[in-house]
Amino acid sequence: MTTPTSVSIEPILAVRRHRVAAAIIDYVTIAIAFALTRAALGGEEVFKESSSTSWLNFYEGNPGWLTEIVLLILTIGYFWSQHAVWGQTLGKRLCRLKVVAAATGEA
């Protein structure tokens, strides 16, 4: 019996409930990271009354704008780096899902 030299295996799409479970795990992970980061960078947000020119400066009434930028960068970095390196986030690993290229089947 001979083994074929190239086997074409189509990637199987994940079931919707597994994707939702992975997303919930990822967002809980992000929420915990947000809470820790917010506590480390300054705690709670305090909004003050805006002036008539506040539309020129979106961050005038929000002293925690720098924290929000840091959290946005951490969120993008979490998803981008894990998908780029492993093809999986923490939630996808726990649900045994992987993002692969359609042409090559690699992460």
Side-chain angles (χ1 to χ4, degrees):
M1 180 179 240
T2 61
T3 304
T5 56
S6 67
V7 178
S8 175
I9 298 175
E10 293 284 326
I12 301 170
L13 293 179
V15 181
R16 186 172 289 131
R17 67 180 176 268
H18 295 163
R19 293 184 203 180
V20 170
I24 290 171
I25 293 168
D26 285 333
Y27 287 113
V28 167
T29 303
I30 292 291
I32 291 169
F34 275 20
L36 295 174
T37 304
R38 187 171 296 275
L41 291 180
E44 63 188 66
E45 295 179 16
V46 178
F47 291 94
K48 62 181 182 181
E49 194 65 35
S50 335
S51 67
S52 61
T53 59
S54 65
W55 61 276
L56 294 172
N57 183 1
F58 298 114
Y59 302 111
E60 178 182 356
N62 183 4
W65 66 270
L66 184 59
T67 304
E68 292 176 4
I69 300 293
V70 169
L71 293 175
L72 176 66
I73 291 169
L74 286 175
T75 302
I76 292 170
Y78 172 80
F79 286 103
W80 179 80
S81 64
Q82 290 195 36
H83 282 135
V85 175
W86 298 293
Q88 297 173 307
T89 59
L90 178 63
K92 287 183 179 91
R93 274 189 217 138
L94 293 174
C95 292
R96 297 183 182 177
L97 303 176
K98 190 171 188 176
V99 178
V100 297
T104 63
E106 295 179 8

